[in-house]
Amino acid sequence: MTALTDLLAFQRQTEALSSVAERLGWDQETVMPRGATEQRAEEMAAMEEVLHDRRTDPRIGEWLDAADPQTDADRRAIQLIARDYSRSSRIPARLATELARLTSLAQGIWAEARAKDAPEDFLPTLDQVLMLKREEAAALADNGNLYDALLDDYEPGMTGAAISSLFDAMRPRLVALREEVLGSERQPAALTGHFPQETQLRLARACATAFGYDWTRGRMDIAVHPFSSGRWQDSRITTRVVETDPFNCVYSTIHEVGHSGYEQGIDPDYAFTPLGRGVSMGVHESQSRIYENQMGRGRAFTGWLFSRMSDAFDGLNITDPDAFFATVNRVTPGFIRTEADEVQYNLHIMLRFDLERDLISGRLDTSDLVEAWNARFLKDFGVAVDRPANGVLQDVHWAVGLFGYFPTYALGNVYAGCLNRALRAAVPDLDEALARGDATPGTEWLRENLQRHGGLMPPSDLIEAASGGPVTPEPLLDYLEDKFGRIYGL
Amino acid sequence: MTALTDLLAFQRQTEALSSVAERLGWDQETVMPRGATEQRAEEMAAMEEVLHDRRTDPRIGEWLDAADPQTDADRRAIQLIARDYSRSSRIPARLATELARLTSLAQGIWAEARAKDAPEDFLPTLDQVLMLKREEAAALADNGNLYDALLDDYEPGMTGAAISSLFDAMRPRLVALREEVLGSERQPAALTGHFPQETQLRLARACATAFGYDWTRGRMDIAVHPFSSGRWQDSRITTRVVETDPFNCVYSTIHEVGHSGYEQGIDPDYAFTPLGRGVSMGVHESQSRIYENQMGRGRAFTGWLFSRMSDAFDGLNITDPDAFFATVNRVTPGFIRTEADEVQYNLHIMLRFDLERDLISGRLDTSDLVEAWNARFLKDFGVAVDRPANGVLQDVHWAVGLFGYFPTYALGNVYAGCLNRALRAAVPDLDEALARGDATPGTEWLRENLQRHGGLMPPSDLIEAASGGPVTPEPLLDYLEDKFGRIYGL
């Protein structure tokens, strides 16, 4: 019992310190002065070294050997700590510190290169990041697959091969749907006009509230690339504002509320334990996606949104709620993943998945990355990338070392498809509430069946338990074909 | 050489981690969600434990013994590390952690009690803070004076007895000046009207720029109790806005720019060494005070401010710059230290100094604190405190354990008096620049003679070197009598 108590007390402090490091990351991307990059890199590196020392502390091994857990929660906590200990112990302290320092710097370099549309300013740094990530992957993989070793950090138990099969199964139906939709004679109108920042932010706050975001345990700020950050009592969201496109702000916000709402919904008894956070990136994304798409972009909620936006902006060029629903879900060729519609989104992910697997395996060199990106984009989307900020420079992920992260977005969509089918069966009158701008019945079902469990179950077990069946892409594909079939009259 | 290199590398990381903890404190007082207090207390305690472990790491003792510094900067760094090591080693880890956790919580409890005007909600917590601080003082004092042991943390080398003598020497001239001023027939008019928050903040930003604040290495936010935070590339200021009193915002801002400007002005070679921060609270306060008062509240700068404010607010009830200068420096009975004029400010400090010495020595109990405060305030200021938020609850300091800190404010005023005399002699045309809203010649002189040195010299040596003579209260008192004599026609 003492070994377990000591282990959990030690872990509690590690969780608190890791939460501090995450808060520092939030600060860097929202409020930090632009001249503070070197200082912050040094601070992040120091935090990372402290965390690495703790995660590899040999006492953990002794405590794990001696611990005798009595509850499911303790057994699972032990399992997660053991997993983290094993992974961390394989990564040399020097490498962990170097990665923290470099990726902190790289983030600033990426942001400047993106603003200047100058990939040549960023690629040498990306090359350094990639070298370190390959070194990390080699340390973790133990002669296994490098990419799988990285992916496992974001989606435990998942492999590149499994994702590749899943994507192969999804691609034909997605491509067919995309072609039908883009070829349809019925094309929704675009929303046009000027939408002032302050009004958009008020609307975004109303949407966050509609989806159950607890403002006493969070806040909203502006970031270049929206993200959510933090746990339990302090889970913050960010959004961005484009004054010609209010949907960007509204749906970024609802998406991040999905992430933060998950964290806010975890059983508070799990706070500062390994169970006190979302269990995987894919499951996290399932929450952001079901909030954003299956609920937020459905006919019911967009009816409410139509009325709120018509009032807030003194009228819109779209004048009835059915047309507005179609406009919200409008499918057009576009360069930016985060702005992509539900039909094309997963195709953006497939592109990144293939390129990053090649980068990690060494089949693709960073010096050829721009060309590879542009060629693949032209092939998959039929359009030439017009400038690097709309191509290879659009996402921060690789700059900060998140190789293996992208596919979890598509997994999240697949999980959301499964969850949505179960949710609709369990809460048949959900749309009536959504039509009033109230997502509470959906949030409550998700909280009860998924969110509150935190890290208690492995990702696929959790999704299967919540959705009442195995994880397959069919519910997502069926949902997409039904929804877009109706909108586009297919 | 290796011992020194190892020691400085280790210290570098400690400085970085301490900078993270300070950033977390900033977050708590500016942007943190109000429901996050427990989580933050846990995070702060974890950081404090890491820092305490590092500051008491036995390797420091070995490195210090073996180090052979060759430069003045290295010798001084060694001295400061040794001092910190000796102090930290006397404080048990449990106490340091407990203090961090409790003061983080106490800050929230204080803020709520202040908002509700309910000292009874706060005093039991203050009592716990006080008990821990007395324990800390006993550990540090080694049978010496408890209060001196705490004071030494903020103003190394200073004692309660020395401050008591200094205050005794100052009090008669301050009291006499106050009585003459309040009894004068010439009384400046008050500024009246409604001054919108956004306009005040724009004005505050212009003032910060006028005093040389480097916005690429800082930012400004709103806080209940304005403060500055951070070093080198990331030194942030806060301000507050009262829509009936724009001077509150303007002069809080200039004050904090004094603090942050000091940090921004330190030689960047000292970054992440013990020399890379302001050398003491008193010296820090000398910078904020000389910016705020001797420069910011002088006739020259207020002339510029008059013109800017008249434009920004579409006219004022004060219509000429001489009258405006008098209004800025208006002396009236008031409860709040941070809003006090230069004549009465130090009397507020003397009250706190005496009460906190009695609290630490045990001569005063927290259960008698409200009564003691109110009685002393009536005696010193001739007015009865109307409500606790205007009395014992007005300052955050005791809640966060800052016993021994208050007198450094008055020391800062004394230092600022000495520095101002030297500055005016060295830069005779300073007022010409200030009249154009440009404090550059003053900032440059301070940067060259004081700020850039960081922690290189002990506080009194630094002030003496910069001002060219011993530290005495006469320059400050002469300056006050001259300035207020002219305004009030004494």
Side-chain angles (χ1 to χ4, degrees), chain A residues 124-144:
Chain A
T125 306
L126 177 62
D127 205 59
Q128 292 177 290
V129 173
L130 183 61
M131 255 165 39
L132 294 180
K133 290 301 288 187
R134 286 169 51 90
E135 193 182 337
E136 182 188 287
L140 291 170
D142 203 16
N143 294 321

Side-chain angles (χ1 to χ4, degrees), chain A residues 271-489:
Chain A
F272 290 123
T273 80
L275 276 60
R277 35 192 153 98
V279 71
S280 75
M281 294 303 121
V283 175
H284 240 295
E285 193 70 8
S286 76
Q287 299 306 289
S288 60
R289 284 300 176 176
I290 198 170
Y291 277 53
E292 177 189 356
N293 291 334
Q294 280 88 353
M295 292 198 275
R297 284 196 169 93
R299 174 62 184 83
F301 185 78
T302 58
W304 176 82
L305 185 64
F306 170 68
S307 141
R308 292 294 293 244
M309 284 182 62
S310 301
D311 288 352
F313 298 115
D314 270 336
L316 303 172
N317 67 312
I318 313 293
T319 54
D320 83 273
D322 286 316
F324 183 83
F325 168 57
T327 295
V328 164
N329 290 286
R330 193 163 166 260
V331 178
T332 52
F335 299 113
I336 305 294
R337 174 185 62 83
T338 57
E339 295 168 6
D341 52 81
E342 293 176 77
V343 174
Q344 298 182 97
Y345 187 89
N346 294 308
L347 298 171
H348 284 273
I349 295 302
M350 294 172 190
L351 177 157
R352 286 158 181 75
F353 171 67
D354 289 334
L355 291 181
E356 71 179 16
R357 275 178 107 195
D358 287 351
L359 284 170
I360 292 294
S361 73
R363 282 190 299 270
L364 175 62
D365 201 88
T366 51
S367 57
D368 299 322
L369 179 60
V370 175
E371 203 182 333
W373 180 291
N374 292 347
R376 172 69 184 261
F377 194 87
L378 183 62
K379 177 163 164 280
D380 282 10
F381 293 86
V383 193
V385 171
D386 61 347
R387 56 196 189 93
N390 283 337
V392 71
L393 289 181
Q394 70 181 270
D395 292 311
V396 72
H397 300 62
W398 291 339
V400 296
L402 295 176
F403 292 90
Y405 191 109
F406 278 123
T408 67
Y409 288 129
L411 273 180
N413 287 329
V414 169
Y415 294 160
C418 299
L419 292 169
N420 185 54
R421 193 169 57 179
L423 165 63
R424 296 290 170 164
V427 189
D429 54 356
L430 175 58
D431 274 344
E432 287 171 34
L434 287 171
R436 295 190 305 270
D438 177 14
T440 307
T443 299
E444 278 178 357
W445 187 88
L446 288 166
R447 200 146 284 189
E448 176 60 26
N449 289 279
L450 187 143
Q451 295 174 353
R452 70 186 172 91
H453 297 303
L456 189 64
M457 289 171 261
S460 51
D461 291 7
L462 177 66
I463 299 292
E464 287 188 18
S467 62
V471 174
T472 73
E474 276 68 38
L476 173 69
L477 297 168
D478 291 349
Y479 150 84
L480 290 174
E481 285 167 358
D482 173 63
K483 175 175 172 178
F484 288 89
R486 281 189 290 125
I487 293 172
Y488 282 88

Side-chain angles (χ1 to χ4, degrees), chain B residues 77-95:
Chain B
I78 293 271
Q79 193 181 63
L80 291 171
I81 294 170
R83 179 175 176 280
D84 192 41
Y85 178 61
S86 157
R87 286 181 67 88
S88 301
S89 303
R90 290 161 186 257
I91 301 172
R94 175 206 45 81
L95 177 60

Side-chain angles (χ1 to χ4, degrees), chain A residues 12-13 17 19 27 31 33-36 38-40 42-43 49 216 218-219 231 233-234 236 272, chain B residues 12-13 19 27 31 33-36 38-40 42-43 47 49 216 218-219 231 233-234 236 272:
Chain A
R12 198 170 172 85
Q13 276 203 326
L17 293 169
S19 176
D27 186 275
V31 295
R34 67 184 161 82
E38 288 163 86
Q39 175 168 344
R40 182 52 53 89
E42 191 105 9
E43 291 165 353
E49 189 158 331
T216 69
R219 56 178 285 125
R231 314 169 194 165
Q233 294 184 329
D234 193 0
R236 305 181 187 181
F272 290 123
Chain B
R12 199 170 171 84
Q13 276 204 324
S19 175
D27 186 276
V31 295
R34 66 184 163 80
E38 288 164 86
Q39 175 168 344
R40 183 53 52 88
E42 191 105 9
E43 291 165 352
M47 285 300 293
E49 189 159 329
T216 68
R219 55 178 286 124
R231 315 169 194 164
Q233 294 184 329
D234 192 359
R236 304 180 187 182
F272 291 121

Side-chain angles (χ1 to χ4, degrees), chain A residues 91-200:
Chain A
I91 301 172
R94 174 206 47 78
L95 177 59
T97 308
E98 235 355 87
L99 260 171
R101 189 196 316 271
L102 179 62
T103 54
S104 175
L105 285 174
Q107 186 171 340
I109 293 167
W110 163 78
E112 274 191 32
R114 182 177 185 257
K116 288 198 287 181
D117 247 326
E120 64 280 10
D121 289 0
F122 169 60
L123 289 173
T125 306
L126 177 62
D127 205 59
Q128 292 177 290
V129 173
L130 183 61
M131 255 165 39
L132 294 180
K133 290 301 288 187
R134 286 169 51 90
E135 193 182 337
E136 182 188 287
L140 291 170
D142 203 16
N143 294 321
N145 184 284
L146 292 188
Y147 187 78
D148 287 355
L150 297 176
L151 173 61
D152 194 65
D153 212 18
Y154 310 115
E155 200 67 15
M158 190 54 68
T159 64
I163 286 172
S164 204
S165 304
L166 183 72
F167 286 177
D168 287 347
M170 291 166 72
R171 201 187 322 255
R173 284 177 67 181
L174 286 176
V175 168
L177 180 58
R178 177 171 166 273
E179 292 191 359
E180 278 189 88
V181 160
L182 289 177
S184 163
E185 285 188 5
R186 196 192 293 179
Q187 289 295 335
L191 185 69
T192 56
H194 176 83
F195 306 89
Q197 168 155 329
E198 274 315 309
T199 317
Q200 289 200 35

